[in-house]
Amino acid sequence: MPLIVVTTSPRVAPGLLSHQAWQALRSGPVLTGSAAHPQLPYLEEAGVAVEVVEPDPRGLAVRAVGETVVWLASTSEKDSEDFMRAVGHAAIALEEPPLVEVVPGSYDLPGARVLDLVAVMDRLRTECPWDRKQTHESLVPYLLEEAYEVLETIEQGDYAALREELGDLLLQVVFHARVADGFDMDDVAAGIVEKLVRRHPHVFGSVRAESADEVNDNWEAIKAAERAAKGRESVLEGVPMGQPALSLAAQLLRRASRAGAPDSLAAAVGQGVARELFDLVRRAADAGLDAEAELRAAARAYRDRVHAWESA
């Protein structure tokens, strides 16, 4: 006789089970070790009786030798894995071990673990004194710091560390969404999904774009239409003026160039060193270079020289 283990994901709404799982849950007595299992009310509503028992790996394996038994596994991955490992050892020790079959009742879709992050952030915001007192303003330094740490791992080619740094940056997004009054993480995600779909008509609509240049042209045309609809005519609308000065100058030049601004507007901007720096940014852009990245590379080279001098 088989022991059928039905697994469910805590990130999927209770009651949404696969057809195979519903069949399994009606194939024999159903047991579980958790009186608070989120599936219980829905199984009761469907007429499936579930007995809550003290988890007993050996007793479960022995019972499954004589009859089909269904075990509704814990939604805690660690608890479920530990229990099933113990059941497996107990079954193997029997003279006639039962067949153990795992039936996924529900499983995670890509991105489901973000739900865990939202849940953890909700709890931190409620129970942690430090997290509870934070504001958008107080979190700004951490947002900038995490963004720069992501940049550093990419520049260093340290892709093993990139995963962790991206997680730290994602936390800042979820934190700000939790602090916000008037929207939440779902609204943030919905907004960017709508924007991506709207600005990629060659993917989600009937527009054709055969090259990256055509995609960029469509993107800029759509952005211009969005600005006009909002009553914002300037091509420079939305450029964050708080970004580092080299990247700021480069973005302003890039935006103005796309709008057809005459080159003369970029001549003799500012005074003294500022004028020279702005002209260098313009020249770098004309050469297809990123002035910010170029200066950062030079700064890293200087750092390496200083380190070598110190160790000499």
Side-chain angles (χ1 to χ4, degrees):
M1 294 293 179
L3 167 60
I4 304 176
V5 180
V6 176
T7 62
T8 58
S9 169
R11 305 168 196 93
V12 176
L16 299 179
L17 300 175
S18 65
H19 176 67
Q20 186 182 12
W22 282 114
Q23 287 184 313
L25 289 164
R26 292 187 170 96
S27 65
V30 182
L31 311 177
T32 189
S34 173
H37 200 293
Q39 297 290 347
L40 294 185
Y42 299 91
L43 296 181
E44 181 181 5
E45 184 179 351
V48 176
V50 181
E51 181 182 359
V52 179
V53 299
E54 187 69 26
D56 177 8
R58 187 180 185 284
L60 187 61
V62 169
R63 181 171 177 178
V65 172
E67 63 176 328
T68 296
V69 181
V70 182
W71 179 260
L72 181 61
S74 168
T75 56
S76 165
E77 294 177 5
K78 184 180 185 307
D79 291 346
S80 180
E81 289 175 2
D82 291 345
F83 183 74
M84 287 312 303
R85 190 176 295 109
V87 169
H89 289 319
I92 292 174
L94 297 176
E95 186 175 342
E96 295 184 9
L99 173 68
V100 179
E101 178 184 359
V102 178
V103 175
S106 58
Y107 49 87
D108 293 341
L109 295 175
R113 296 308 296 263
V114 176
L115 297 175
D116 289 346
L117 177 56
V118 172
V120 168
M121 189 67 252
D122 282 344
R123 185 168 179 180
L124 291 176
R125 184 66 172 169
T126 302
E127 301 179 22
C128 174
W130 187 90
D131 290 278
R132 192 164 52 236
K133 76 174 188 177
Q134 299 309 308
T135 65
H136 292 302
E137 291 74 18
S138 69
L139 290 172
V140 165
Y142 304 104
L143 177 61
L144 295 175
E145 178 182 344
E146 300 301 350
Y148 280 122
E149 288 183 0
V150 169
L151 174 60
E152 184 173 11
T153 60
I154 293 174
E155 288 180 339
Q156 294 176 344
D158 189 357
Y159 298 119
L162 180 58
R163 171 184 172 181
E164 179 180 351
E165 298 302 341
L166 286 173
D168 292 341
L169 183 58
L170 178 59
L171 169 61
Q172 296 305 309
V173 175
V174 175
F175 207 152
H176 278 278
R178 182 61 179 81
V179 169
D181 182 14
F183 64 86
D184 57 18
M185 190 60 198
D186 284 331
D187 297 316
V188 172
I192 190 59
V193 167
E194 292 170 2
K195 180 183 290 186
L196 289 173
V197 171
R198 185 172 65 249
R199 293 187 180 178
H200 290 78
H202 56 287
V203 175
F204 301 101
S206 58
V207 173
R208 294 182 62 84
E210 303 296 337
S211 68
D213 288 340
E214 289 182 274
V215 172
N216 285 333
D217 291 342
N218 287 338
W219 182 281
E220 293 302 325
I222 293 168
K223 287 177 64 176
E226 291 172 355
R227 286 194 299 269
K230 295 177 180 178
R232 301 172 180 173
E233 300 280 332
S234 175
V235 70
L236 302 182
E237 187 71 35
V239 174
M241 299 300 291
Q243 64 182 299
L246 290 181
S247 58
L248 170 61
Q251 187 174 7
L252 291 171
L253 287 165
R254 186 168 57 250
R255 288 279 194 98
S257 176
R258 288 174 180 170
D263 293 339
S264 59
L265 293 180
V269 173
Q271 299 292 328
V273 173
R275 176 183 295 187
E276 295 176 27
L277 287 172
F278 195 88
D279 187 57
L280 283 173
V281 172
R282 180 183 59 78
R283 287 162 52 192
D286 290 343
L289 300 174
D290 182 337
E292 180 77 20
E294 293 296 313
L295 184 56
R296 289 178 63 83
R300 289 197 301 275
Y302 177 69
R303 175 203 60 191
D304 294 341
R305 287 187 179 184
V306 172
H307 286 168
W309 169 75
E310 289 174 327
S311 60

